């Protein structure tokens, strides 16, 4: 099935490169008007430049699409609000939000400074909260919205040196689990993507020989589906190299020791 996003407006955070760029380009190709947000900083979140977001906007426009750039930081509430305001001022609605922006401050927990733990939570978890909060009343008023969180296998299963990143990424699953309930009556579906892809953020984590088979464009088809009217609600989709699966929290049958149970 070929999905169209004609008449829809999307915000993609961290869309200056990697996964976000692929998501933005594909949505625009299918007719969506796109706010391309990117702070343009280094991988650790320092610095900032509008060059990356502007370049993606030019790619979209040169292909006949419609897009605007936004350089706000998701970790700043005013920055988060600015991208929603830009969408509303330009097109009067927001149908899709892809929370993709992120940074890395990898180090083993023993060596990690708490400031580096906090800033990763601020960007990944609170950044997604900030932009979602700004767009939530609009989607409720419209009785329509599709929100995609970007979680990670590091959050679902753990990864050495990423206590901060993993905690933030699994926190997004908890955030999604309640939004799916609260948004259902207004046709707001919230899902999560857990990608493995060769991007600037993962170039030191993924072996070089595996990078060619893990292009970010091989994750985007799942994200596109989660942005459609047919999207499920409250699902974590894992995606890597064109392979897709659903990650679930499971519970076994357990043992009932009764009210008088002792150890």
């Amino acid at each position: 099935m070929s999905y169209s996003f004609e008449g829809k407006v999307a915000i993609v955070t961290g869309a200056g490169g990697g996964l976000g760029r692929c998501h933005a380009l594909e949505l625009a190709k299918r007719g969506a008007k796109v706010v391309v947000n990117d702070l343009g900083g280094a991988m650790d979140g320092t610095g900032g430049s509008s060059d990356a977001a502007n370049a993606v906007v030019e790619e979209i426009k040169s292909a006949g699409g419609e897009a605007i750039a936004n350089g706000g930081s998701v970790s700043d509430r005013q920055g988060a609000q600015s991208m929603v305001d830009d969408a509303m001022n330009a097109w009067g609605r927001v149908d899709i939000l892809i929370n993709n922006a992120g940074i890395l401050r990898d180090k083993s927990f023993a060596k990690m400074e708490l400031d580096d733990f906090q800033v990763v939570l601020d960007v990944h978890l609170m950044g997604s909260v900030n932009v979602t909060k700004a767009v939530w009343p609009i989607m409720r008023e419209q009785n329509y919205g599709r929100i995609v969180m970007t979680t990670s296998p590091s959050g679902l299963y753990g990864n050495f040196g990423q206590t901060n990143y993993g905690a933030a990424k699994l926190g997004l699953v908890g955030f999604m689990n309640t939004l799916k309930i609260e948004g259902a009556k207004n046709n707001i579906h919230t899902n999560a993507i857990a990608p493995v892809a060769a991007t600037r953020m993962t170039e030191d984590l993924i072996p070089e020989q595996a990078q060619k088979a893990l292009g970010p464009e091989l994750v985007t088809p799942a994200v596109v589906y989660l942005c459609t009217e047919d999207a499920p609600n409250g699902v974590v989709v894992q995606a890597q190299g064109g392979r897709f699966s659903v990650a679930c929290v499971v519970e076994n049958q357990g043992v009932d020791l009764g009210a008088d149970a002792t150890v």
Side-chain angles (χ1 to χ4, degrees):
M1 181 179 289
S2 180
Y3 288 103
S4 170
F5 294 97
E6 291 289 341
K8 296 287 196 294
V9 175
I11 296 172
V12 185
T13 69
L19 288 163
R21 172 181 167 274
C22 287
H23 304 339
L25 290 174
E26 188 62 29
L27 289 176
K29 179 181 175 183
R30 293 168 180 264
K33 300 173 177 67
V34 183
V35 176
V36 177
N37 162 261
D38 202 279
L39 179 62
M43 198 168 60
D44 66 358
T46 57
S49 166
S50 58
D51 291 350
N54 286 332
V56 176
V57 168
E58 288 308 310
E59 277 190 84
I60 290 171
K61 287 182 174 179
S62 67
E66 198 169 341
I68 56 176
N70 175 279
S73 171
V74 296
S75 61
D76 172 70
R77 292 179 190 177
Q78 290 182 328
Q81 186 65 53
S82 75
M83 61 192 80
V84 177
D85 290 345
D86 285 354
M88 293 300 289
N89 291 335
W91 302 304
R93 61 185 296 117
V94 182
D95 302 280
I96 296 162
L97 168 61
I98 301 175
N99 286 306
N100 170 77
I103 64 170
L104 289 178
R105 298 278 180 96
D106 290 359
K107 210 168 261 188
S108 69
F109 189 60
K111 297 178 181 178
M112 184 177 294
E113 298 290 338
L114 286 178
D115 285 348
D116 286 337
F117 203 106
Q118 184 69 58
V119 72
V120 168
L121 287 177
D122 288 345
V123 173
H124 288 275
L125 181 55
M126 289 310 301
S128 297
V129 171
N130 290 340
V131 188
T132 302
K133 181 66 173 176
V135 83
W136 194 254
I138 296 164
M139 290 182 171
R140 289 186 68 207
E141 182 69 24
Q142 293 171 173
N143 274 308
Y144 185 84
R146 296 293 182 264
I147 299 171
V148 180
M149 306 295 176
T150 304
T151 184
S152 169
S154 295
L156 300 176
Y157 309 114
N159 192 34
F160 188 92
Q162 292 193 317
T163 51
N164 49 3
Y165 182 80
K169 288 306 194 184
L170 194 57
L172 286 168
V173 176
F175 185 38
M176 174 201 77
N177 281 337
T178 294
L179 288 183
K180 74 179 181 186
I181 299 167
E182 295 186 5
K185 65 181 180 295
N186 292 114
N187 193 21
I188 303 171
H189 291 191
T190 306
N191 295 284
I193 187 79
V196 175
T199 67
R200 181 178 67 150
M201 283 184 66
T202 60
E203 62 186 359
D204 294 330
L205 302 174
I206 296 175
E208 189 172 347
Q209 62 269 26
Q211 291 186 19
K212 290 182 180 179
L214 293 171
E217 69 279 359
L218 299 176
V219 169
T220 294
V223 175
V224 167
Y225 177 66
L226 296 179
C227 293
T228 68
E229 294 185 13
D230 292 340
N233 191 19
V235 172
V236 178
V237 178
Q238 299 184 114
Q240 61 177 56
R243 183 179 185 276
F244 307 96
S245 59
V246 172
C248 303
V249 176
V250 298
E251 182 178 343
N252 69 7
Q253 290 183 335
V255 176
D256 186 357
L257 298 179
D260 297 324
T262 58
V263 177

